[in-house]
Amino acid sequence: PGFMWEARTSGYDKLSSVKGAYVKQKFSFCKSLFGCIPESKYYVYGLPDDGIAKRGSKMFKCEEKSNACMRQFCLPQCRSYKMEMKNKDYIDKDFDEEPFLTFNRPFKCTFLCFGRPEVEIEWNEAGRRNILGRIRNPSTCCHLGMEVLDAIGNLRYQIRGSCCQPGIMCNASCCHKAKFDIIDVNNEKVVGSISEVKGTTRKDHCKSLTNFQIIYPELAKGEDRALLTAATILTDYQYFEKRFAGLCPINCACIWM
């Protein structure tokens, strides 16, 4: 469904051509049946302009690479991982699953304002590499959010959401969906959004996966849109992963502060 790109369209060009993206986490039977935490996988789709279809064509596949013990015994808010974002190309199979971005997240012993989660984003398309920027989860008392920084450390966007919204306080399907505003730090205006997307069928409810819809800032370049996509995935790890939820006495301190 949706639109298609020409063969070997770069990742930045794909992101620049859509108004938003739909980030879908792949379901794992291993996690559902046995409680084992596998390496996470996400698919990123273009968001159609017609506002009718939930998602358009698949743009990227994101695959986590991490230590098995780290996944089973560390909080999602603390654990390290490397994630590869790869291009999807339905025309040129030689370009399909070619690298686009790499997310590098070091282990952090997160507690209150100490050891806050941070991800470095590296562009590695077409045999070239450079640091694109970083996503940082700051310590906040009154809201949830992320900070999006460019390659030289300048703050580009803030992502903010209320910690009291029903979609955060209660993640049941009957409640409202969580929503985060994308704020341009130059003028403090809301220029986009990241919204939780919950399934509407019984099958979707059983899977208990959190998917997201991103509305990019209209004037954002492909590089900024790539960083906002990475921030959305970190948001999932930070606020929606349920591993050890309610069991660890410091879990609330890791997530909310």
Side-chain angles (χ1 to χ4, degrees), residues 3 17 23 26 81 83 97 140 159 181 197 200 229 257:
F3 39 81
S17 67
V23 181
K26 185 177 180 181
Y81 63 78
M83 182 171 288
E97 302 210 2
T140 57
I159 298 171
D181 292 326
V197 178
T200 56
T229 305
M257 305 299 287

Side-chain angles (χ1 to χ4, degrees), residues 155-213:
L155 184 61
R156 299 284 295 160
Y157 297 98
Q158 289 184 327
I159 298 171
R160 296 180 192 166
S162 171
C163 60
C164 297
Q165 57 182 305
I168 293 293
M169 301 296 292
C170 175
N171 203 37
S173 299
C174 59
C175 292
H176 295 287
K177 302 168 186 175
K179 182 179 179 181
F180 298 81
D181 292 326
I182 299 173
I183 300 170
D184 189 330
V185 297
N186 294 318
N187 53 28
E188 288 294 319
K189 291 184 178 180
V190 176
V191 292
S193 64
I194 299 171
S195 303
E196 181 187 10
V197 178
K198 291 180 178 176
T200 56
T201 66
R202 184 179 300 176
K203 181 179 179 181
D204 291 332
H205 294 166
C206 291
K207 289 182 178 181
S208 294
L209 297 178
T210 305
N211 305 317
F212 298 91
Q213 177 181 282

Side-chain angles (χ1 to χ4, degrees), residues 32-247:
S32 178
L33 294 177
F34 306 110
C36 298
I37 306 300
E39 295 172 320
S40 295
K41 294 183 180 180
Y42 299 84
Y43 292 104
V44 182
Y45 300 79
L47 197 64
D49 292 331
D50 56 19
I52 299 175
K54 182 171 65 174
R55 64 189 187 217
S57 298
K58 192 181 295 182
M59 297 191 293
F60 309 105
K61 179 170 78 171
C62 306
E63 294 182 301
E64 174 190 342
K65 302 297 180 185
S66 60
N67 180 276
C69 291
M70 182 78 69
R71 293 196 305 276
Q72 309 312 316
F73 302 111
C74 287
L75 290 168
Q77 296 77 28
C78 301
R79 78 176 196 232
S80 64
Y81 63 78
K82 179 179 180 180
M83 182 171 288
E84 298 283 351
M85 178 183 278
K86 302 175 181 179
N87 280 294
K88 295 302 294 179
D89 194 313
Y90 295 95
I91 301 174
D92 188 339
K93 294 302 180 181
D94 291 333
F95 190 68
D96 189 42
E97 302 210 2
E98 279 293 302
F100 172 47
L101 299 175
T102 302
F103 309 159
N104 294 298
R105 178 177 175 179
F107 173 81
K108 293 288 186 75
C109 188
T110 303
F111 182 74
L112 299 177
C113 60
F114 303 101
R116 299 307 305 175
E118 187 173 283
V119 179
E120 183 182 76
I121 313 302
E122 182 183 36
W123 174 69
N124 59 350
E125 196 173 27
R128 293 173 290 174
R129 289 177 175 268
N130 64 266
I131 301 301
L132 181 60
R134 288 181 294 127
I135 311 300
R136 186 169 60 198
N137 176 233
S139 176
T140 57
C141 294
C142 302
H143 64 268
L144 310 177
M146 300 287 165
E147 293 179 341
V148 179
L149 298 91
D150 63 19
I152 58 176
N154 294 323
L155 184 61
R156 299 284 295 160
Y157 297 98
Q158 289 184 327
I159 298 171
R160 296 180 192 166
S162 171
C163 60
C164 297
Q165 57 182 305
I168 293 293
M169 301 296 292
C170 175
N171 203 37
S173 299
C174 59
C175 292
H176 295 287
K177 302 168 186 175
K179 182 179 179 181
F180 298 81
D181 292 326
I182 299 173
I183 300 170
D184 189 330
V185 297
N186 294 318
N187 53 28
E188 288 294 319
K189 291 184 178 180
V190 176
V191 292
S193 64
I194 299 171
S195 303
E196 181 187 10
V197 178
K198 291 180 178 176
T200 56
T201 66
R202 184 179 300 176
K203 181 179 179 181
D204 291 332
H205 294 166
C206 291
K207 289 182 178 181
S208 294
L209 297 178
T210 305
N211 305 317
F212 298 91
Q213 177 181 282
I214 312 169
I215 301 298
Y216 294 120
E218 186 176 353
L219 301 179
K221 297 180 180 179
E223 292 86 343
D224 288 335
R225 296 177 182 220
L227 289 171
L228 290 168
T229 305
T232 301
I233 292 176
L234 181 59
T235 297
D236 185 37
Y237 278 92
Q238 186 67 11
Y239 301 125
F240 296 93
E241 279 285 338
K242 302 176 181 62
R243 182 64 169 170
F244 296 136
L247 299 181

